[in-house]
Amino acid sequence: MTTHEVPKALMADGFRVRREFGFAGLNKTATMVAACVLVADGLIATQAPITLLVTLPVTLGIFALAAARRHGMSALSYYWARLSWRRAARAEATSYRRILLPHPYGLDLPGVGASSTLIKAYDPTTGKDVGVVHDRVSGRMTVTTLLAPGGTLMAPTGTVQSNLRTWSAVLDAMSTDEQIKGASVTIQITPGAGEALADDVRARRDPGAPALARRIVDELVRTTPHATASVAPWMSVVVDPTASANPPQELSEQVAETLRVVDSLDLSGTGADILRRATDVDLRRIVRSAYDPSVFNARDADFAELSWAECGPQAADDAWTEYAHDGGVSTSWVLREMPRRPISYSVLLPLLAPGRFQRRITLAYRVLDPHEGEAVLEREISHAYQRAQATAEVKGRAKWSQKADAQRAEQAAAQVAGGSQVVDWTLMVTVTARSTDELPAARQELERAVKATRGIRMRPAYGAQAAVFAAQLPIGYNPLVQD
């Protein structure tokens, strides 16, 4: 085995996008709507045949857009989203300016974080304070665990296999706990975090050292701020404390129930070293430094007195492919498609490599319970065979891609029958530049990192930049968690 080969046991596969069965590339709902509209056109034409000259081309044009694909989505959905965003922009709904009372929601976070509030709780298990984010609309609560940066690239194959099995057990525990609604793992990489190290080296330098040693130290002090990066990983778990046989009524009881549920998830053995539960100060630092990267290395005292709303931006503008906020301009990308071949467990390494700009990489999860997962796979198998059969009836044989898709669906069902879990998940990446002038370079750096993964396809989060930006922060929003 060469140094670039990965053992088969460390390869991952089974990624598949849900696909409904429909006519001419449409999904089931669009096919039914198309049939109803065509019937309506026919009924109208029985009274006024001349209307077919207008209704039929318009109907066919709309459903041609629905069948066409653009950026991995329906062209009709893409253009409808673009139109909706333009209407929102004309109404200035895409701009945010923090204001003071008497506006009732003037002190909330913007967008999807507006219903969240931060609670400082005491954890009797550890004897320390914990920050809990409460969604006042849904009642769900989010607890964040700070992790230690590390990796398994130098670890033996057996250790990596053991870590993957343990992580699988964690997902299995999520699937059988009705109170756990979703989770996300985020790694934030902030470049230029070597200022503190440079100051320490400069202060400890011996003036009587040889000239060569002083020159080397001076060069180290000069280059370190540009050659180092701070890595901050964390895991956020979304819990519904009321989804139990005896739901707690008081807020304090709900917080206690949330901490109990999160404590039941054992991350030891997954390859991640747990630092501690994030405190309210930690959450303020993470959220505030995302909107203003310049305060990332500030002291804890600078965040202790901030209100939850002050952790958000003073002003923000949500554009079609970028998000301008305090101290920077960000662009967020989302997963479009995973490779259809087995991939290495280290496939995300290019995205995790430090660059010139701050970057956040988030894996969001929603583990389906065993019954729901089995039902989903059965539907997927039926849809795959129906698509292949429909193509065979029209063209004489099914496409090889359709046959392969049906085989992947059957393979997934076999894995679930063997104890695996069905997981809805997505990948989100955000890169932040300090100014608009640096944004093209930041976007190019992100594009190169995505291409270096050799197979993962991503696209900008069109019209949803602010929402994807917020989904990567521990503010209680997970796009996969359904109400």
Side-chain angles (χ1 to χ4, degrees), residues 329-376:
V329 183
S330 299
T331 181
S332 299
W333 286 32
V334 294
L335 180 66
R336 174 176 173 178
E337 186 180 7
M338 287 294 291
R340 300 180 183 180
R341 54 177 174 79
I343 58 175
S344 168
Y345 74 101
S346 58
V347 67
L348 296 181
L349 189 60
L351 290 174
L352 301 176
R356 290 177 52 197
F357 305 96
Q358 185 186 73
R359 189 185 306 166
R360 275 187 308 281
I361 302 93
T362 299
L363 283 169
Y365 300 91
R366 185 178 76 90
V367 187
L368 279 62
D369 67 73
H371 297 291
E372 182 184 0
E374 183 178 352
V376 166

Side-chain angles (χ1 to χ4, degrees), residues 47-307:
Q47 303 296 325
I50 194 65
T51 59
L52 286 177
L53 296 177
V54 177
T55 59
L56 191 58
V58 172
T59 300
L60 294 178
I62 292 176
F63 288 105
L65 286 175
R69 310 297 294 176
R70 184 173 178 86
H71 302 295
M73 69 183 80
S74 166
L76 182 62
S77 299
Y78 173 82
Y79 290 117
W80 181 258
R82 186 67 180 266
L83 178 62
S84 300
W85 177 83
R86 287 183 175 178
R87 291 177 58 189
R90 284 197 297 268
E92 298 184 352
T94 59
S95 298
Y96 170 80
R97 301 295 183 269
R98 184 148 63 87
I99 55 179
L100 300 178
L101 297 176
H103 296 272
Y105 302 107
L107 297 180
D108 288 336
L109 292 178
V112 295
S115 60
S116 67
T117 184
L118 180 61
I119 300 174
K120 181 179 180 181
Y122 175 77
D123 187 2
T125 304
T126 60
K128 299 180 180 178
D129 293 332
V130 178
V132 179
V133 177
H134 179 220
D135 190 315
R136 293 168 294 185
V137 174
S138 64
R140 292 189 291 261
M141 296 186 174
T142 302
V143 176
T144 300
T145 302
L146 302 183
L147 308 175
T152 55
L153 292 180
M154 301 297 291
T157 300
T159 301
V160 179
Q161 286 182 281
S162 176
N163 293 341
L164 293 177
R165 285 193 298 267
T166 305
W167 179 247
S168 177
V170 173
L171 296 179
D172 182 70
M174 292 183 184
S175 70
T176 56
D177 195 329
E178 296 181 352
Q179 294 179 287
I180 299 180
K181 298 302 180 180
S184 62
V185 177
T186 300
I187 300 179
Q188 178 172 283
I189 304 168
T190 305
E195 286 84 353
L197 176 62
D199 293 341
D200 182 65
V201 172
R202 189 182 294 110
R204 296 167 57 187
R205 187 179 59 178
D206 186 0
L212 177 60
R214 292 200 302 270
R215 286 198 300 270
I216 293 176
V217 171
D218 290 340
E219 180 68 15
L220 175 64
V221 170
R222 185 181 67 83
T223 59
T224 293
H226 306 284
T228 60
S230 174
V231 181
W234 63 82
M235 179 178 181
S236 299
V237 180
V238 181
V239 177
D240 185 357
T242 62
S244 60
N246 297 311
Q249 301 299 322
E250 299 294 332
L251 182 62
S252 58
E253 296 175 351
Q254 295 176 5
V255 171
E257 180 68 10
T258 299
L259 294 177
R260 184 197 65 78
V261 172
V262 175
D263 287 339
S264 66
L265 292 177
D266 186 8
L267 297 180
S268 60
T270 60
D273 296 329
I274 299 176
L275 290 181
R276 65 179 187 277
R277 301 285 185 220
T279 65
D280 59 314
V281 176
D282 294 327
L283 296 179
R284 292 189 183 98
R285 175 189 295 275
I286 292 174
V287 175
R288 183 59 198 152
S289 63
Y291 289 103
D292 187 3
S294 63
V295 303
F296 179 79
N297 293 311
R299 299 186 302 263
D300 287 346
D302 297 331
F303 300 98
E305 300 301 325
L306 288 180
S307 68

Side-chain angles (χ1 to χ4, degrees), residues 5-24:
E5 292 179 345
V6 178
K8 186 177 180 179
L10 300 184
M11 305 293 285
D13 60 358
F15 307 106
R16 189 177 178 276
V17 179
R18 292 192 190 184
R19 297 182 178 91
E20 294 183 352
F21 171 71
F23 177 76

Side-chain angles (χ1 to χ4, degrees), residues 14 16 380-381 384-385 388 399-415:
R16 189 177 178 276
E380 290 299 304
I381 293 175
Y385 277 104
K399 297 180 180 179
W400 287 109
S401 59
Q402 293 175 333
K403 294 180 180 179
D405 184 62
Q407 292 175 355
R408 286 195 297 271
E410 289 183 341
Q411 180 185 3
Q415 291 174 344

